[in-house]
Amino acid sequence: MRMGSGGSSGREERLPSAAEEQLSGGDQMLELSGRHLKKLPLPVCALGTLQKLYISGTGITELPEEIEGLQELRILALDFNKLEEVPEALCRLPNLTRLYLGSNRLFGLPAEFCQLTTLRCLWIESNYLYHFPRVLLQMPWLQSLQMGDNRLKTLPNGLPRMRGLRGLWLYGNRFEEFPKSLLRMTQLHILDLDRNKLTEFPDLSHLRRLRLFSYDHNPVEAPPNVADTVLVVGEGAQEFLEAREERLQALREQEEEEEQEENESEVLQAQMKNDSSMLDDGEGSYCAQECSPEET
């Protein structure tokens, strides 16, 4: 349903108070968070040069089709509202890089969502996602995906198609087994699986780019096997990290000792070469004196 129909009140059709003052700052940002809005005022959608729009916690239940008028918009925060769907019009924002949809009533994303080719960060935590939105597999440019506190039990085999993904938050879902597709996500830097139902982990040491792995509040008995560069967060992780640090410290000390021994060996060899050179010079001099024509 479009805004501007006969049911819209005059108050909703006006730009909220202080909006002009915000826009006069020159940074093209509008902060409407915390205001009680049943719908997004249409004059907001007419701000064609707007780059940042924050509408968090306003209670809105839908977005007008006119939102596609925000062609310069880069950041859109719609978290803590009552949205039940993402309109197709939102998918026609050509410059959107960050979209915050957390704490709404979403069950999925529209097929047109993949039209957001500039999107790099999507937060869609605390919704009603029972299945991973397949449309996201068509978005290899996405870098940060926050899907915590949903109802996911599995991940699609095609997840590695999201080659640009660096951070993936899956805490507070319903995973009972470690998703096998994650084993092929070798480009991940951050993986958060807190508060699931995982009882064991496969070997994760081949995920060489991983820097943070969080698994707290799972019924697993031991931390996973990860590369030495990974910070691990979870029950038993402190002991694991301390033991690893001791092992790495021992290796560092061993390498230092070996390096020192190698340096001493190089110095000794240099001295031996120097002594040998001096001896050769002396013998040559002695031989020259022995064979001097003056003495023969």
Side-chain angles (χ1 to χ4, degrees), residues 75-190:
I75 298 175
L76 177 57
L78 291 163
D79 44 333
F80 295 98
N81 283 299
K82 299 177 182 180
L83 298 173
E84 296 183 359
E85 62 180 14
V86 175
E88 183 181 344
L90 188 148
C91 303
R92 293 194 289 266
L93 298 178
N95 291 296
L96 199 64
T97 60
R98 294 175 177 269
L99 178 58
Y100 301 97
L101 292 168
S103 299
N104 276 282
R105 300 173 179 178
L106 302 173
F107 284 84
L109 295 171
E112 297 80 9
F113 198 78
C114 61
Q115 296 174 13
L116 295 171
T117 56
T118 58
L119 195 65
R120 297 295 178 266
C121 174
L122 173 62
W123 284 34
I124 193 170
E125 77 282 7
S126 301
N127 275 282
Y128 300 116
L129 299 180
Y130 286 86
H131 303 285
F132 188 93
R134 293 276 174 174
V135 66
L136 295 179
L137 302 181
Q138 303 175 48
M139 302 177 70
W141 50 83
L142 203 62
Q143 297 177 358
S144 177
L145 180 56
Q146 163 64 280
M147 302 186 74
D149 287 327
N150 275 286
R151 287 141 173 84
L152 301 174
K153 292 183 178 180
T154 61
L155 295 177
N157 290 330
L159 189 65
R161 294 182 209 162
M162 302 182 72
R163 298 182 299 274
L165 210 57
R166 297 295 180 266
L168 181 56
W169 287 263
L170 296 167
Y171 60 82
N173 277 281
R174 299 176 180 178
F175 297 106
E176 295 182 3
E177 295 183 359
F178 188 89
K180 292 182 179 179
S181 55
L182 289 176
L183 296 174
R184 292 180 286 132
M185 298 294 286
T186 55
Q187 80 282 8
L188 280 181
H189 293 180
I190 299 172

Side-chain angles (χ1 to χ4, degrees), residues 121-294:
C121 174
L122 173 62
W123 284 34
I124 193 170
E125 77 282 7
S126 301
N127 275 282
Y128 300 116
L129 299 180
Y130 286 86
H131 303 285
F132 188 93
R134 293 276 174 174
V135 66
L136 295 179
L137 302 181
Q138 303 175 48
M139 302 177 70
W141 50 83
L142 203 62
Q143 297 177 358
S144 177
L145 180 56
Q146 163 64 280
M147 302 186 74
D149 287 327
N150 275 286
R151 287 141 173 84
L152 301 174
K153 292 183 178 180
T154 61
L155 295 177
N157 290 330
L159 189 65
R161 294 182 209 162
M162 302 182 72
R163 298 182 299 274
L165 210 57
R166 297 295 180 266
L168 181 56
W169 287 263
L170 296 167
Y171 60 82
N173 277 281
R174 299 176 180 178
F175 297 106
E176 295 182 3
E177 295 183 359
F178 188 89
K180 292 182 179 179
S181 55
L182 289 176
L183 296 174
R184 292 180 286 132
M185 298 294 286
T186 55
Q187 80 282 8
L188 280 181
H189 293 180
I190 299 172
L191 179 57
D192 189 334
L193 283 164
D194 285 358
R195 293 190 283 110
N196 278 281
K197 301 177 182 180
L198 300 171
T199 57
E200 60 180 354
F201 292 114
D203 190 336
L204 304 179
S205 59
H206 67 288
L207 300 180
R208 293 293 177 179
R209 296 187 180 181
L210 199 62
R211 292 297 175 265
L212 173 63
F213 180 73
S214 187
Y215 67 95
D216 214 5
H217 301 99
N218 277 281
V220 67
E221 294 182 358
N225 184 25
V226 295
D228 289 337
T229 52
V230 181
L231 174 62
V232 183
V233 178
E235 188 174 354
Q238 185 63 33
E239 294 80 0
F240 169 81
L241 292 174
E242 289 175 356
R244 185 175 73 182
E245 181 57 31
E246 290 179 4
R247 175 173 58 82
L248 292 176
Q249 181 61 30
L251 287 174
R252 284 193 290 266
E253 291 175 355
Q254 181 179 348
E255 289 175 357
E256 290 175 359
E257 290 178 2
E258 291 176 353
E259 184 178 356
Q260 185 176 354
E261 290 176 358
E262 186 177 346
N263 291 337
E264 291 175 352
S265 176
E266 289 177 355
V267 171
L268 182 59
Q269 289 179 11
Q271 289 177 345
M272 291 177 64
K273 286 182 180 180
N274 187 47
D275 292 344
S276 175
S277 176
M278 291 179 63
L279 181 60
D280 289 344
D281 290 345
E283 288 178 348
S285 175
Y286 177 71
C287 181
Q289 289 177 358
E290 267 190 343
C291 300
S292 173
E294 297 177 359

